[in-house]
């Protein structure tokens, strides 16, 4: 997977590439990430990339010419890439969308800045728009890094454990189960006994219950969207009966 990040602040993106799984993925040539400085495509002595909005109002707008030149240049270099504008108005970024993007040969991530991007860029050069949540950032750079991170770890061969990506939060519509490591007793708090039992059937059941419980308590709306298996329904019913007994005593 080849990522190109188009930004007026390439210095923001570069340090992020030097750590952990992203660094290893680059070293192993599973991904490449190049930042493209939009300012390099701006004309004039001051290489201006913004201008006042037509119609007045506060804030500045990203000028179309340098951005268009930067995008066209990058698209020529990586013709199979999908071009994404990072904007709070985009499609919400989710684990499902991360999976879809991880199958593409390349992504060109265009980081908006200022109050907005000239609309004609969106009309002519952008394949899709993505937002990383309902809040406003000062620019798309953090969003681009979020996408590089979430997509990279889904590329086959990137994560250590064979199936570590599948068992995680959101992969099956649930939050992931609780984790424990040594010591067995920490500040008076003990590791659940079943996890020490070596009984993998019991452990799997405990993990499913932990997963369901955490989702119910922390993100109940996820359960409404998820088609529940028979086993999951049985677990929820069991809890329902236990709660009923508690409130009737
Ligand atoms: Cl992609 N860009 C900006 N500027 N703000 C955001 C965002 C993107 N996603 C959420 N907020």
């Amino acid at each position: 997977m080849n990522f190109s990040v188009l930004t007026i602040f390439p210095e923001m993106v570069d340090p992020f590439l030097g750590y952990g799984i992203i660094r290893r993925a680059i070293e192993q040539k599973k991904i490449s990430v190049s930042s493209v400085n939009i300012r390099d495509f701006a004309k004039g002595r001051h290489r201006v990339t913004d201008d006042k909005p037509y119609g007045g109002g506060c804030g500045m707008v990203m000028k179309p010419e340098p951005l268009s030149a930067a995008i066209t240049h990058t698209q020529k270099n990586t013709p199979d890439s999908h071009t994404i504008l990072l904007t709070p108005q985009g499609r919400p970024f989710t684990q499902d969308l991360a999976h879809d993007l991880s199958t593409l040969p390349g992504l060109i991530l265009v980081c908006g800045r200022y109050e907005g991007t000239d609309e004609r860029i969106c009309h002519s050069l952008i394949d899709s728009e993505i937002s990383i949540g309902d809040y406003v950032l000062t620019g798309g750079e953090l969003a681009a890094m979020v996408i590089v991170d979430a997509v990279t770890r889904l590329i086959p061969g990137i994560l250590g454990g064979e199936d570590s990506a599948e068992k995680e939060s959101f992969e099956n519509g649930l939050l992931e189960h609780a984790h424990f490591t040594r010591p067995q007793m920490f500040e008076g708090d003990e590791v659940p006994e079943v996890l020490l039992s070596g009984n993998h059937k019991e452990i799997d059941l405990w993990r499913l219950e932990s997963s369901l419980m955490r989702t119910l308590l922390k993100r109940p709306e996820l359960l409404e969207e998820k088609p529940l298996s028979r086993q999951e329904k049985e677990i929820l019913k069991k809890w329902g009966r236990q709660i009923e007994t508690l409130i009737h005593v």
Side-chain angles (χ1 to χ4, degrees), residues 84-91 93 110-114 129-144 147:
I84 294 169
L85 177 68
L86 285 325
T87 157
Q89 299 190 4
R91 173 175 168 195
F93 188 58
V110 181
C111 304
R113 277 266 152 188
Y114 317 119
E129 298 183 349
I130 294 180
S131 158
I132 60 162
D134 289 343
Y135 41 80
V136 180
L137 302 169
T138 56
E141 286 76 8
L142 285 171
I147 292 174

Side-chain angles (χ1 to χ4, degrees), residues 217-246:
L217 293 177
K218 298 182 186 192
R219 296 288 306 276
E221 79 283 5
L222 292 179
L223 286 180
E224 279 161 38
E225 292 155 24
K226 176 186 157 62
L228 293 165
S229 72
R230 233 168 104 140
Q231 191 185 24
E232 289 162 345
K233 282 185 195 161
E234 284 308 319
I235 294 169
L236 289 169
K237 275 193 218 157
K238 183 185 78 182
W239 292 345
R241 289 192 296 271
Q242 286 169 347
I243 292 166
E244 286 283 318
T245 13
L246 281 175

Side-chain angles (χ1 to χ4, degrees), residues 59-198:
M60 298 293 269
V61 177
M62 236 169 164
K63 276 170 77 63
E65 306 94 319
L67 197 50
S68 164
I71 296 173
T72 311
H73 168 86
T74 315
Q75 286 175 341
K76 274 203 191 108
N77 284 342
T78 55
D80 297 330
S81 285
H82 187 82
T83 305
I84 294 169
L85 177 68
L86 285 325
T87 157
Q89 299 190 4
R91 173 175 168 195
F93 188 58
T94 59
Q95 191 68 9
D96 282 345
L97 183 48
H99 272 287
D100 293 346
L101 298 181
S102 75
T103 65
L104 300 173
L107 296 178
I108 298 173
L109 301 168
V110 181
C111 304
R113 277 266 152 188
Y114 317 119
E115 281 302 297
T117 306
D118 189 289
E119 188 65 16
R120 290 161 296 181
I121 290 291
C122 315
H123 290 169
S124 56
L125 294 166
I126 300 294
D127 298 315
S128 49
E129 298 183 349
I130 294 180
S131 158
I132 60 162
D134 289 343
Y135 41 80
V136 180
L137 302 169
T138 56
E141 286 76 8
L142 285 171
M145 291 184 248
V146 165
I147 292 174
V148 170
D149 193 288
V151 168
T152 297
R153 56 189 295 294
L154 295 176
I155 296 170
I158 299 271
L159 292 186
E162 251 171 64
D163 55 359
S164 13
E166 278 112 68
K167 292 195 174 158
E168 267 158 327
S169 293
F170 307 112
E171 290 296 349
N172 57 1
L174 297 174
L175 300 183
E176 202 183 8
H177 59 77
H179 294 86
F180 297 89
T181 184
R182 287 182 292 184
Q184 199 173 326
M185 175 78 89
F186 176 69
E187 294 181 349
D189 202 352
E190 210 164 351
V191 174
E193 211 175 316
V194 55
L195 299 181
L196 313 170
S197 69

